[in-house]
Amino acid sequence: MDTVAPQESDQVARAAASVRRLTAAVANARSDMPGLSAVASRIRALADDLEARSCSAAERVYQMNTIGRIIRYSPVVGSANVLAAPLHLRHIGDGNEGTVNFSAAYQGSLGVVHGGFAAMVLDVALAEANMAAGVPAMTAGLTLRYRRPMPVGRDLTVRAWHVYVDGRKSWCRGEIWWEHDLCVSAEGLFIVPREGGPRGQDRQD
């Protein structure tokens, strides 16, 4: 059971959403923008205020990992994590499908999302596909193939599905699409923890 009041959760999520907007706005700001120095000072003052009233990192880490809150604070799908784009997933059979839109803050090359974020998103999507198939497991290996650039500021479609399980080893596949173009494909190897989990199911190619 979540040990944190819904009101706190909503307030943190609202603050995180605002910071994501601010991050994107700063990334899009021109160096010659009038009043940019004053804006920077206001942001710095707000950061100083929040830091002065925040709890310690150790205390917050414990709170963020309480049962039921890990997903909320995920750097990929967490509504309460300012680093998350975020990715929105829904389960479909033994897999999932979702959307993600990366702002200019995630840019690598000109107008292109840095490939490392594709790996992060697909790692989570594949892990969730395992969960949908009833095979909770930990990432052991992730192989990606970058086929086309992922554009910044566009809705991207993420798909992942469970393939088969052999003993404690589970395989999944996933993709990121922009409209009709396949941008990234991935294959992941996951290991079911020793303390439990389904084993020896039939292969499902």
Side-chain angles (χ1 to χ4, degrees):
M1 181 179 294
D2 192 347
T3 60
V4 178
Q7 184 178 6
E8 179 193 338
S9 170
D10 292 344
Q11 290 173 346
V12 173
R14 286 176 58 196
S18 295
V19 173
R20 280 193 290 269
R21 289 181 57 199
L22 180 61
T23 301
V26 170
N28 291 330
R30 302 188 312 273
S31 60
D32 61 347
M33 178 183 293
L36 185 57
S37 178
V39 170
S41 296
R42 289 164 57 192
I43 295 173
R44 186 183 305 111
L46 178 58
D48 290 342
D49 178 49
L50 286 173
E51 286 178 351
R53 294 188 287 138
S54 297
C55 60
S56 68
E59 180 182 353
R60 195 54 174 163
V61 165
Y62 173 78
Q63 294 172 350
M64 289 167 64
N65 283 281
T66 302
I67 294 174
R69 303 191 74 210
I70 296 176
I71 292 177
R72 184 179 304 147
Y73 285 95
S74 162
V76 179
V77 299
S79 62
N81 192 318
V82 299
L83 299 180
L87 168 66
H88 300 281
L89 287 173
R90 61 183 181 278
H91 289 299
I92 302 177
D94 282 357
N96 56 64
E97 182 173 298
T99 58
V100 64
N101 188 314
F102 292 103
S103 73
Y106 299 89
Q107 179 175 261
S109 301
L110 184 62
V112 175
V113 179
H114 190 289
F117 295 112
M120 184 171 66
V121 162
L122 285 167
D123 181 38
V124 169
L126 268 62
E128 287 296 313
N130 271 322
M131 293 292 292
V135 190
M138 305 293 289
T139 310
L142 190 63
T143 302
L144 276 72
R145 182 176 178 185
Y146 295 90
R147 300 170 181 270
R148 295 179 64 90
M150 297 180 296
V152 164
R154 302 288 186 174
D155 288 337
L156 305 174
T157 300
V158 180
R159 300 189 181 100
W161 60 95
H162 175 73
V163 181
Y164 68 93
V165 61
D166 180 14
R168 293 177 52 229
K169 297 180 179 180
S170 177
W171 281 265
C172 290
R173 292 176 184 153
E175 299 170 340
I176 298 178
W177 290 74
W178 176 44
E179 296 182 345
H180 303 294
D181 294 328
L182 176 60
C183 299
V184 187
S185 60
E187 181 171 338
L189 169 62
F190 294 76
I191 304 297
V192 177
R194 290 186 181 278
E195 58 268 22
R199 295 183 175 89
Q201 298 180 15
D202 293 336
R203 182 168 176 148
Q204 303 173 7
D205 288 319

